[in-house]
Amino acid sequence: MENILTVLTAFFASSQKQPPPISQDQYEVIKRWFWRACFSQRYARGGAKSTDQDLLEVEKLKAGKAHNLGDFDVLLDTDFFTKNVFRMSSVATNTFILLLAQAKPLNFIQGTNISLQNVLSQGNRKEFHHIFPKAHLQRSENQYKDEQINCLANFSVLSRTDNNKIKDQSPSKYRSEMPTDDQIIDQILATHFCPINVFTDDYESFLTSRAELLLKKAKELSQVI
């Protein structure tokens, strides 16, 4: 992520006390490049060459010249969410967290707003929990492996209070802790890119459906067809 900050700094840096405003076109280019760089893990393993290329291109964008910023391949599929394990030190996890923040998630049980400031603070893992609790899956006769249980698609932003109410219950069980109004339920789930089939307790079907919803948003952000 440090490389991304380097490129962003080059674009926004100015010797003027009141730098000129950024045009909407420039903003859209920067946003597209940012998400494509994140999902492609463009700067993994150092990425000095990619960083140098993007620094050249961002200076062109800044100067209003023709540029190729963000014009690199991004291969996105559901594996990003089902094969990557939730680990705060990984680029994939941090990208996933930023994607979740786009929907302004609501507390899973209470339906109230979640403070994104707390969620996005560096190194804060306390606000992220399994949608299908780990203990519940470990009791399953399917004998899921740790990487299956801890994949990105099984995580979301859940307050500690809500997680304490969920404990090790299956989704169909902790559904009774949630609001009774189906419209509110739909609203809560939508802010987590969570499919309604979560309450069927079919973990594999849930992972497939949720990964597809997450992928749809990732492609939208990255402008990948």
Side-chain angles (χ1 to χ4, degrees):
M1 288 293 186
E2 291 83 358
N3 305 69
I4 287 180
L5 288 175
T6 298
V7 178
L8 287 173
T9 299
F11 179 74
F12 287 104
S14 175
S15 59
Q16 302 178 39
K17 291 184 178 180
Q18 291 185 330
I22 299 166
S23 71
Q24 185 63 30
D25 288 344
Q26 287 176 317
Y27 169 74
E28 293 298 333
V29 170
I30 287 291
K31 187 168 68 171
R32 173 178 177 268
W33 157 79
F34 173 83
W35 286 108
R36 292 171 72 88
C38 287
F39 280 112
S40 66
Q41 301 186 56
R42 179 167 172 77
Y43 307 119
R45 295 176 296 278
K49 183 178 179 181
S50 297
T51 303
D52 290 343
Q53 290 175 343
D54 288 353
L55 283 171
L56 288 173
E57 296 304 323
V58 82
E59 289 293 350
K60 294 176 185 176
L61 171 67
K62 188 175 182 178
K65 299 178 181 178
H67 64 86
N68 294 310
L69 186 66
D71 293 344
F72 44 80
D73 291 336
V74 182
L75 300 177
L76 269 174
D77 57 33
T78 54
D79 282 355
F80 185 92
F81 304 101
T82 59
K83 301 300 182 184
N84 281 306
V85 172
F86 190 94
R87 189 180 297 112
M88 291 299 293
S89 60
S90 74
V91 173
T93 297
N94 282 282
T95 300
F96 171 66
I97 289 171
L98 291 176
L99 183 152
L100 293 179
Q102 301 305 299
K104 299 179 180 178
L106 300 173
N107 278 305
F108 220 67
I109 300 298
Q110 304 167 67
T112 54
N113 292 323
I114 292 175
S115 170
L116 291 180
Q117 181 178 354
N118 292 334
V119 169
L120 299 177
S121 62
Q122 187 174 7
N124 183 2
R125 193 188 186 284
K126 296 178 181 178
E127 303 296 325
F128 301 97
H129 300 280
H130 300 81
I131 295 177
F132 272 69
K134 184 175 182 178
H136 164 69
L137 291 175
Q138 288 175 329
R139 293 196 304 267
S140 170
E141 61 184 18
N142 292 309
Q143 297 183 330
Y144 293 110
K145 297 178 181 178
D146 283 349
E147 55 266 31
Q148 293 173 295
I149 295 172
N150 297 320
C151 69
L152 296 180
N154 191 31
F155 274 80
S156 201
V157 185
L158 301 177
S159 68
R160 278 174 288 177
T161 301
D162 282 4
N163 192 56
N164 288 338
K165 290 181 178 179
I166 290 173
K167 296 181 179 179
D168 61 351
Q169 299 180 84
S170 67
S172 66
K173 294 292 185 182
Y174 68 70
R175 169 67 178 80
S176 63
E177 301 279 352
M178 301 175 74
T180 57
D181 190 320
D182 287 341
Q183 287 187 329
I184 296 177
I185 291 289
D186 290 343
Q187 183 182 6
I188 292 172
L189 295 182
T191 67
H192 291 267
F193 305 102
C194 186
I196 192 67
N197 70 357
V198 65
F199 299 123
T200 67
D201 293 344
D202 184 335
Y203 184 56
E204 292 177 30
S205 177
F206 159 76
L207 286 184
T208 297
S209 299
R210 188 165 193 242
E212 288 173 352
L213 291 175
L214 292 165
L215 177 62
K216 181 180 179 181
K217 185 61 178 181
K219 286 186 172 182
E220 174 191 321
L221 293 168
S222 304
Q223 296 184 30
V224 173
I225 300 174

